[in-house]
Amino acid sequence: MIQTDRKITRSKYLANSVVVVDGFPGCGKTLFGPIISSLSRVEIMQYIFEIEFICRLSFLNKIDKVSASALISMLTDHKLYQTMMGRDTNFRFSDLSGVFKNPFPLRYFKRIFSEGDMKIPEIIETERPILNFVAHDLLSYSEPLLEAIGKRLTYIEVVRHPLYMVIQQTLNMERLYTNVDPRDIQIYYDYNKKELPYFCLGWEEDYLRSNNVEKAIFSIHHASQTSERLKKRLKMEKESFNLLTIPFEAFVVSPESFIENITSLIGTEKTNKTLKVLKEQNVPRTKASEGIPLDIYKRCGWEPSDKNLSEREELNKRREWIERMGASKETLILMDILSENYEKTYNYSPKEKKL
């Protein structure tokens, strides 16, 4: 009889430096992709859905962590190899993760016609590329990724005031999870003959009895708790990877110190494209809500900042929206607690009056 309980291993690697930008839906993490891509040796922004799926299946105990880590290690090297070969690169013109939105588009056209295959390891050793990944709500479930990449990983956690995230998350509940849209290629599990998304584990009954805005508030609450528990445990265990938490509001108003931290952690520097990309992202800005009018942001509930409102009044407007959407007294109180905790934790004091 053939023995099948073999331990899956992966000890060698191609990718020497990996950056992961992560955060909850609506936190503003996609703003960081092109900015980080503007730094020396950093590659094009790539979403890592496959790695997210593996981590979430491991979280649900459907894949053991050792095998999940080996898979992630292989996938990471495969992404680097394919990128350096000019394969699997996004040439869709309007995509945020596409070549045409990258600060160095010619790099990716040249690779199509350049030497590849056996030459790639030599090119990687010479050019020392840095992978630039963007993830979605991954930190809470990221242990297999952290184990796979270890000290080669710089993990950037983008956080944002919950009142700035709740509209997009409410729309997600309405458009994706409520109707299980076939476009939502995500991990679901069976709960009393109902399909629930991965993040509901442990609070299924709250999810099922809630309307869309209440689901969004509960989701922010539980994800925040899980992430904080993991960060505290990792700090105690002194895990060997770099974790940088960036409050969105602080970054977009005054980005310089954060960019210095990023370049220091990943061992790179700014280029002549960095300032241009910051200007394209309207960074620095006067108010956190003064974003740029991209179609994808509009689809996610973004609206132009009201020039007559202060930062605090912008937040109050979003809280009033939650009330209009039918949030219960319980969830309104929970949102107020989440908001207060955020402002205290990240020393965020929104201006009360418009200057």
Side-chain angles (χ1 to χ4, degrees):
M1 184 174 178
I2 299 175
Q3 185 177 357
T4 59
D5 59 341
R6 304 294 188 189
K7 180 180 178 180
I8 305 300
T9 65
R10 171 75 176 175
S11 58
K12 56 188 177 181
Y13 54 83
L14 287 170
N16 287 294
S17 184
V18 180
V19 179
V20 173
V21 178
D22 181 36
F24 302 151
C27 74
K29 58 185 172 290
T30 51
L31 170 142
F32 289 82
I35 294 172
I36 293 175
S37 287
S38 76
L39 304 177
S40 178
R41 298 185 291 109
V42 177
E43 288 294 326
I44 191 169
M45 164 184 160
Q46 298 183 66
Y47 294 110
I48 50 170
F49 294 104
E50 308 97 321
I51 292 174
E52 293 175 17
F53 298 155
I54 292 169
C55 286
R56 286 164 187 155
L57 285 171
S58 177
F59 172 72
L60 294 170
N61 293 319
K62 298 303 178 183
I63 303 178
D64 68 86
K65 288 182 181 177
V66 173
S67 300
S69 293
L71 276 170
I72 290 169
S73 181
M74 288 185 282
L75 274 172
T76 302
D77 283 343
H78 186 258
K79 280 185 174 293
L80 178 59
Y81 183 84
Q82 296 292 80
T83 300
M84 301 305 288
M85 284 283 290
R87 295 174 178 155
D88 296 348
T89 302
N90 185 359
F91 282 87
R92 185 173 173 82
F93 185 79
S94 61
D95 281 4
L96 297 181
S97 59
V99 165
F100 297 98
K101 301 296 183 183
N102 185 268
F104 304 100
L106 289 179
R107 174 193 295 169
Y108 300 97
F109 284 95
K110 288 178 180 177
R111 286 180 184 170
I112 297 173
F113 305 100
S114 300
E115 288 186 83
D117 301 312
M118 300 298 291
K119 190 77 173 175
I120 294 301
E122 179 185 331
I123 294 172
I124 291 173
E125 185 175 356
T126 301
E127 297 185 3
R128 298 182 298 130
I130 300 168
L131 280 172
N132 178 15
F133 292 158
V134 175
H136 305 79
D137 182 26
L138 183 59
L139 183 59
S140 303
Y141 322 99
S142 63
E143 289 186 79
L145 169 65
L146 307 182
E147 180 67 28
I149 311 300
K151 63 183 179 181
R152 297 176 287 134
L153 174 65
T154 298
Y155 204 108
I156 299 174
E157 176 199 24
V158 182
V159 294
R160 193 172 187 179
H161 198 293
L163 284 170
Y164 276 127
M165 298 190 293
V166 70
I167 294 178
Q168 179 175 335
Q169 296 204 33
T170 301
L171 291 174
N172 286 350
M173 297 299 174
E174 176 186 341
R175 297 170 180 173
L176 299 177
Y177 307 124
T178 301
N179 299 310
V180 191
D181 188 330
R183 290 181 65 251
D184 180 42
I185 304 172
Q186 191 48 268
I187 303 297
Y188 285 78
Y189 65 94
D190 177 77
Y191 178 79
N192 293 338
K193 298 184 179 181
K194 297 181 185 295
E195 277 193 351
L196 298 186
Y198 68 93
F199 55 79
C200 291
L201 191 67
W203 56 283
E204 291 91 348
E205 292 301 322
D206 282 339
Y207 180 87
L208 289 171
R209 69 176 173 81
S210 298
N211 62 31
N212 290 325
V213 72
E214 292 168 341
K215 289 175 181 177
I217 294 169
F218 279 125
S219 176
I220 294 170
H221 169 63
H222 287 285
S224 299
Q225 284 191 322
T226 307
S227 292
E228 288 306 313
R229 283 196 297 267
L230 176 63
K231 286 193 289 185
K232 286 180 181 177
R233 182 165 65 78
L234 292 172
K235 186 176 181 180
M236 290 177 61
E237 295 174 0
K238 297 181 180 179
E239 291 289 333
S240 58
F241 72 98
N242 298 311
L243 174 62
L244 176 62
T245 299
I246 300 180
F248 179 88
E249 296 85 0
F251 178 87
V252 295
V253 171
S254 184
E256 193 59 40
S257 63
F258 294 105
I259 293 175
E260 288 178 5
N261 284 339
I262 293 169
T263 56
S264 176
L265 287 173
I266 64 179
T268 187
E269 56 276 328
K270 294 183 289 185
T271 68
N272 59 0
K273 300 286 187 178
T274 304
L275 183 59
K276 178 176 182 291
V277 172
L278 285 168
K279 288 182 178 179
E280 289 172 349
Q281 298 295 326
N282 193 27
V283 175
R285 60 185 68 162
T286 305
K287 288 197 301 184
S289 55
E290 293 174 341
I292 54 177
L294 298 181
D295 287 342
I296 188 170
Y297 295 165
K298 293 176 183 177
R299 292 201 304 271
C300 294
W302 178 88
E303 293 181 355
S305 172
D306 188 331
K307 296 181 179 179
N308 296 315
L309 296 182
S310 68
E311 195 74 67
R312 176 63 71 186
E313 289 167 333
E314 291 277 10
L315 293 171
N316 290 340
K317 182 173 73 170
R318 286 155 177 79
R319 191 187 184 283
E320 291 166 4
W321 180 88
I322 294 173
E323 289 190 80
R324 292 198 304 272
M325 294 297 292
S328 66
K329 183 178 179 180
E330 173 195 3
T331 50
L332 276 171
I333 291 172
L334 180 57
M335 174 55 77
D336 290 340
I337 293 171
L338 289 168
S339 298
E340 183 180 344
N341 287 344
Y342 181 86
E343 293 176 22
K344 181 178 179 181
T345 301
Y346 298 106
N347 196 28
Y348 176 50
S349 300
K351 293 177 181 178
E352 300 287 343
K353 298 293 184 180
K354 182 73 174 68
L355 298 179

